[in-house]
Amino acid sequence: NRRPNNKFNNYNVFKTADIYTRVYNYNVWKYAHICVDTNDDYDEEAIRFTFLSKIKAALHEGGAEVETAIRKEFQQLINKPVWKYQSLKDHPDINSFKELNPRPISSLLNVDKKYDAAGVLIKWKARFCACGNHQDKGLYEEDLSSPTMTLESVFIILAFAAQLNADIVTADITGAFLESILPADDIVYMYLSKDAVDELKKIDTNIHEYILEDGRVLVKLLRALYGTIQAAMLWYKLLKK
């Protein structure tokens, strides 16, 4: 029941307390989100351990449904395609990926439940995200924020619809941000985590020759993957067209 500080100094407390069985504790998961979504210094190993533990717990609970959700997410990323695998042959001017500029960011897989308005479980949903908090905002001169409709605007539209007895229609665009293509001069390198690589090996035979000694794979993003700092802005520009 001990909650770590923002640097996860009590990581070993969680590990020895068998987080694999206790990951259902929402507070643990929520706190992992807080750390990932800020620029605070944190123990990345502890963050990844928490994410992996949540996935393990989800697989234990959801079984084949969770496996299907994860495979569906990665298949979508391959089909787009969202990235291009990288090797040192693509960068003849460097001897190691540590010399890459901009510096590669990391990535995480999240698995969660999706409910309807009545609170009934609809399905398990997997989302593979970039850790955009590692990106250098100083590389971007333009404003990366994206306009978002206020709740008051939604209420006004609903009020008009009710007064006019009109039908309300909603639409969901699957993998919306992934429709946005990164500009040629917007270079983002990202490491696919070892757990992600293990899943990708099941559906993409091309990945094998790019696997590094530590089990990761370096990619260059072609599309605005969820989590990148420019994703929302690029999606808004595309939607405006």
Side-chain angles (χ1 to χ4, degrees):
N1 293 326
R2 293 179 62 189
R3 183 171 123 171
N5 60 23
N6 67 339
K7 292 187 179 181
F8 272 88
N9 288 337
N10 291 326
Y11 165 54
N12 289 327
V13 173
F14 277 91
K15 191 171 182 180
T16 55
D18 189 13
I19 195 172
Y20 285 110
T21 59
R22 300 172 189 270
V23 74
Y24 292 100
N25 184 332
Y26 175 70
N27 289 327
V28 173
W29 174 233
K30 182 173 66 173
Y31 197 71
H33 263 304
I34 292 171
C35 288
V36 170
D37 291 341
T38 65
N39 288 320
D40 292 339
D41 186 24
Y42 60 87
D43 185 339
E44 188 170 342
E45 182 185 1
I47 291 286
R48 186 167 302 285
F49 183 81
T50 307
F51 272 73
L52 289 175
S53 300
K54 185 178 186 240
I55 294 169
K56 185 178 178 71
L59 286 167
H60 178 75
E61 182 180 352
E65 290 184 36
V66 176
E67 291 180 4
T68 301
I70 292 174
R71 187 161 299 187
K72 182 179 178 182
E73 171 68 2
F74 282 118
Q75 191 66 63
Q76 174 187 218
L77 299 175
I78 293 171
N79 292 344
K80 288 292 183 184
V82 173
W83 54 59
K84 180 182 178 183
Y85 297 127
Q86 300 288 289
S87 70
L88 282 175
K89 295 179 183 177
D90 301 309
H91 306 274
D93 54 331
I94 63 173
N95 298 314
S96 167
F97 286 144
K98 293 181 179 180
E99 302 173 34
L100 269 180
N101 187 29
R103 183 177 139 193
I105 62 176
S106 53
S107 56
L108 287 168
L109 174 65
N110 178 30
V111 179
D112 229 329
K113 296 175 181 177
K114 189 171 184 180
Y115 299 90
D116 63 13
V120 178
L121 176 64
I122 302 174
K123 63 178 180 179
W124 287 89
K125 186 177 181 66
R127 177 76 75 198
F128 190 64
C129 302
C131 292
N133 56 309
H134 294 169
Q135 287 180 264
D136 183 1
K137 293 183 180 179
L139 299 175
Y140 301 90
E141 295 180 359
E142 62 180 317
D143 184 6
L144 297 177
S145 60
S146 173
T148 306
M149 181 179 284
T150 64
L151 188 58
E152 289 81 3
S153 298
V154 176
F155 286 159
I156 290 171
I157 292 173
L158 293 175
F160 276 123
Q163 189 174 21
L164 300 172
N165 196 29
D167 292 329
I168 297 292
V169 179
T170 63
D172 179 37
I173 301 174
T174 305
F177 283 6
L178 303 181
E179 297 297 327
S180 307
I181 298 176
L182 286 176
D185 60 346
D186 191 354
I187 300 174
V188 180
Y189 295 112
M190 182 182 78
Y191 280 116
L192 302 180
S193 55
K194 185 179 181 302
D195 50 297
V197 172
D198 290 340
E199 290 297 327
L200 284 163
K201 285 192 292 187
K202 302 174 184 177
I203 54 179
D204 187 5
T205 57
N206 296 323
I207 196 173
H208 292 275
E209 61 181 288
Y210 297 95
I211 300 176
L212 304 173
E213 290 183 1
D214 60 5
R216 298 184 300 171
V217 169
L218 182 74
V219 298
K220 179 181 179 182
L221 292 184
L222 305 176
R223 293 176 181 266
L225 182 65
Y226 285 91
T228 53
I229 57 177
Q230 64 271 58
M233 180 267 294
L234 290 174
W235 166 242
Y236 171 71
K237 287 184 175 180
L238 178 63
L239 201 59
K240 246 175 78 170
K241 292 181 181 180

